[in-house]
Each structure stands twice: as C-alpha cells, then as structure tokens.
Amino acid sequence: MDAKTKERLRRLKAMADDATSENEAMIAARRLHALLAKHGMDESELDDGEGITTSDKGTLLVRGEWCQEVMFAIARLYFCKGLTHGQPRFRHEGQGAGKRFSLIGRELHRETAMRVIQSVVRSVYAEAKRSSKSLRPRHVHPMSWITSFCEGASFRIRVRVNELIEAGRKGALEDEDGDKLPVLAPMYDAAQADIDAFLADWKVNVWKPKGEIRSAEAYGNGEAFGDGVALGHEIAQHAPNTLTHAKEA
C-alpha cells in the first residue's frame, strides 16, 4: 500500500474517532471500512497489535441500571464486553460522580460500540424526558415516569440485540444496501474466546443489577420507543470482506 493511501486511512480513522460530530464520525467509519475492503485488509489490521484490549479513556457515566443493561447488550452486539467500575479508578476532572462504563474488545469494535451506545442512551433518555412532559398522567411523579420509560426501552433493546446476534450468527442479516452479510458466528465465538482469555488474565468480575419499574404506562411507552432505536446499522462494517460493494471515500 502506498504512502498516500496509508495517510488517507489514518485521516479517516482520526475522523471516525472524533466525538465532536457523531454523524460525521459514523460517515468516516463507513468510508474507512470501505477503503480497507477495497485493499483487501481486515479492520483488525488497524489495531495496535495487542488484540483484545481495554482503555481507561472514553469511559461513560452509567445513568442507571437500565442504562447499564443497554450498554452491556450493545457491547455484545459489536463483539465486545462491557464492564462497570467505581469512580475512584475512572473518574477524571470534569466527569460526573458515579459508576462508569468501559469496553473490552478490539479497538475498532470498541470504538463502534461506544458510538452506538452513546447514541442509543442519549436518545432513550431524551425521549423519556420529552414523553414525561407530553404523556405523563398528573398522578405519576416525573422521575417515576422517566425511570419506567427507560426500563421499558432497555428491555426492548436487549430483546432486539439478542435477535440481531442470533440472526447474525445464522447469516440472516443484511447491510444497508440489502446484501446478505456472511455468517457471523465465527466472529462472535472468536471474540468471546479472546475476551474470556483476557478476563481470566485480568481477573475481572462483572456486577449485573436488576431494574425498577414505577409506572406501567411509562414502561410500555419505553418498550415502544426501544423497538425503534437504531442498533445494528454498523454491524456490516465489521463483517469480513463484505464491503467491496461500498463506494470509495
């Protein structure tokens, strides 16, 4: 590969990593993977050579138990594993207090999963607050509505993630152009084995909580919203040798 192409890949990756504009980062990520496919490269070749890794940088504040479960689910969808940590290790200047979330997996898998997680969590919480103002009965406390809405959305998102993973393992997923993706079972199995080995060396345990529902109506509204959030739109970027049809950046 010539120096000009390498530089182009470097710039696209930098744009994909830039959190300033979520939309521009996603566009750059699609172009990056299309260019990799054109040159017969796998996304793992852009890793730092350490394979499965984690990072203290780019951690997210966990808004609640519903949020944590959404984070865990989307991490699995994108070949990663989610972890939560107490604030003494991960809290940095300017960050809110509370439990924080990070990912274990290959670097580009982690970057994609983090983008999707941030988008989904923000949209769920924003819609929960909006619906609290427009749909909440007067006798229901605003926080009870918001919490229950988020739990409903979290439930539906987790169900849909499981369905997407199962479909991906069977080769039943399509990309945005309607082309069939290859069977992803080997990728999921290899990612899980690598992560398990990493965790065994790292000796990490994951705490899994239970959520709380205070309003059945809000929970139902949250379920309905969870049915519509975008989840699997970036899986095609990580499927091997499936992006040769994509246009060059």
Side-chain angles (χ1 to χ4, degrees):
M1 181 183 298
D2 58 41
K4 183 177 180 181
T5 301
K6 288 182 179 179
E7 175 62 19
R8 191 177 187 186
L9 284 168
R10 186 191 66 78
R11 286 189 288 105
L12 283 172
K13 188 174 187 306
M15 291 171 63
D17 292 344
D18 187 359
T20 304
S21 171
E22 180 182 343
N23 184 56
E24 290 182 1
M26 288 185 176
I27 292 173
R30 285 196 293 269
R31 290 177 174 174
L32 170 64
H33 285 272
L35 190 58
L36 287 173
K38 178 181 178 181
H39 291 278
M41 296 176 61
D42 185 83
E43 56 87 13
S44 63
E45 294 180 55
L46 290 183
D47 284 344
D48 55 12
E50 298 179 359
I52 300 298
T53 59
T54 188
S55 173
D56 288 4
K57 297 180 180 179
T59 62
L60 300 177
L61 180 66
V62 179
R63 288 184 176 273
E65 294 168 351
W66 70 271
C67 178
Q68 177 171 279
E69 296 303 325
V70 166
M71 291 171 161
F72 284 160
I74 296 175
R76 290 190 298 109
L77 181 61
Y78 287 96
F79 315 101
C80 296
K81 186 178 185 68
L83 297 176
T84 53
H85 313 266
Q87 66 184 46
R89 179 178 178 182
F90 283 90
R91 189 180 181 189
H92 304 291
E93 184 178 354
Q95 292 180 334
K99 187 163 51 178
R100 303 200 67 82
F101 173 88
S102 64
L103 290 166
I104 291 177
R106 292 190 176 276
E107 182 179 359
L108 287 183
H109 292 165
R110 287 190 282 112
E111 290 169 354
T112 303
M114 194 65 82
R115 283 196 302 273
V116 176
I117 286 169
Q118 288 177 305
S119 175
V120 169
V121 169
R122 279 199 298 262
S123 66
V124 168
Y125 196 67
E127 181 63 18
K129 292 193 294 184
R130 187 204 66 77
S131 67
S132 175
K133 295 178 181 178
S134 62
L135 301 174
R136 175 179 52 84
R138 290 184 178 180
H139 68 276
V140 178
H141 191 276
M143 285 310 301
S144 295
W145 178 276
I146 290 172
T147 299
S148 299
F149 181 100
C150 291
E151 286 291 342
S154 172
F155 171 75
R156 284 304 306 160
I157 288 167
R158 284 179 281 143
V159 169
R160 290 178 56 211
V161 163
N162 288 335
E163 292 172 348
L164 285 168
I165 291 175
E166 186 63 23
R169 293 182 67 87
K170 295 178 179 178
L173 288 182
E174 298 179 349
D175 65 12
E176 59 188 12
D177 294 326
D179 296 326
K180 283 282 188 180
L181 298 182
V183 174
L184 298 180
M187 285 189 67
Y188 278 114
D189 292 341
Q192 186 61 56
D194 289 342
I195 289 170
D196 287 344
F198 181 88
L199 289 175
D201 291 337
W202 211 32
K203 296 181 175 61
V204 172
N205 294 315
V206 179
W207 174 69
K208 297 183 178 180
K210 295 182 178 179
E212 182 178 2
I213 302 168
R214 302 175 184 175
S215 168
E217 185 178 354
Y219 183 90
N221 277 270
E223 277 193 292
F225 184 77
D227 269 328
V229 297
L231 294 174
H233 55 290
E234 292 203 48
I235 294 178
Q237 298 176 20
H238 298 273
N241 301 319
T242 62
L243 295 176
T244 54
H245 64 278
K247 293 183 180 180
E248 183 183 352

